Amino acid sequence: MQTKTEAPQPDLLALDQQVCFALAVAARNVIGLYRPLLEPMRLTHPQYLVMLALWEKSPSSLTELAGRLSLEPATLSPLVKRLEAVGYVTRARDAKDERALAVTLTAEGAALREYAPAVPAGIVARLGMPLSELEDLRDRLHVLIEASHQARGADG
């Protein structure tokens, strides 16, 4: 029973109280802002993430890329195939380990990096939020991601 001095408790099942809902809507909305910035580069958002990883380290094995991107290799493989079809990467068996598939940037894929800095700058401009707030949000999301990895590991 609630007394007159106690604040009402929020409905924990209300949609706007759900972390998952807020994350899903925010992700959908923000990723949508990337589309017009990536179209001139002929990239989708998932392909852009693959390219970001490869700009950091190329060649990379498909397994290594999947780990960096938190994707299953079976999910990543079609993305890499499409990047190969547009000439941004090549796929080949690793000479050191025939079981591993090495993904390597082509000259065109490496050159695309020159245009990439406009993407984060464009997102910051479109959101109209101070960069410091976006950086803080990103850092807090990394904490959430790590906590979710820990929780999933504890479950099984």
Side-chain angles (χ1 to χ4, degrees):
M1 183 174 182
Q2 184 173 320
T3 65
K4 291 181 181 180
T5 57
E6 291 179 9
Q9 295 298 312
D11 178 359
L12 296 180
L13 296 180
L15 186 60
D16 66 351
Q17 293 294 314
Q18 306 305 306
V19 172
C20 61
F21 178 69
L23 285 170
V25 172
R28 225 177 12 252
N29 290 349
V30 171
I31 289 169
L33 296 176
Y34 277 81
R35 189 170 296 115
L37 297 169
L38 296 175
E39 281 175 353
M41 298 167 67
R42 297 184 304 159
L43 292 173
T44 63
H45 185 263
Q47 291 169 340
Y48 171 66
L49 298 178
V50 174
M51 294 300 289
L52 288 170
L54 287 170
W55 288 327
E56 288 181 13
K57 183 177 183 283
S58 173
S60 289
S61 73
L62 190 68
T63 303
E64 184 181 11
L65 275 174
R68 297 234 19 245
L69 296 167
S70 294
L71 293 172
E72 291 296 322
T75 302
L76 179 59
S77 189
L79 294 171
V80 171
K81 285 179 182 177
R82 286 193 291 276
L83 289 170
E84 184 177 42
V86 296
Y88 293 160
V89 304
T90 59
R91 297 175 305 135
R93 291 286 161 202
D94 189 326
K96 297 174 193 162
D97 181 358
E98 282 292 316
R99 298 170 297 168
L101 188 65
V103 182
T104 306
L105 288 169
T106 63
E108 186 178 0
L112 196 61
R113 189 182 195 287
E114 178 182 329
Y115 302 99
V119 176
I123 293 300
V124 170
R126 286 167 183 258
L127 288 171
M129 294 172 63
L131 181 58
S132 61
E133 282 185 35
L134 293 170
E135 291 170 334
D136 182 53
L137 177 59
R138 179 208 54 218
D139 294 344
R140 297 295 302 148
L141 287 170
H142 282 294
V143 171
L144 179 63
I145 290 165
E146 182 57 33
S148 69
H149 284 298
Q150 295 290 330
R152 285 185 21 217
D155 289 341

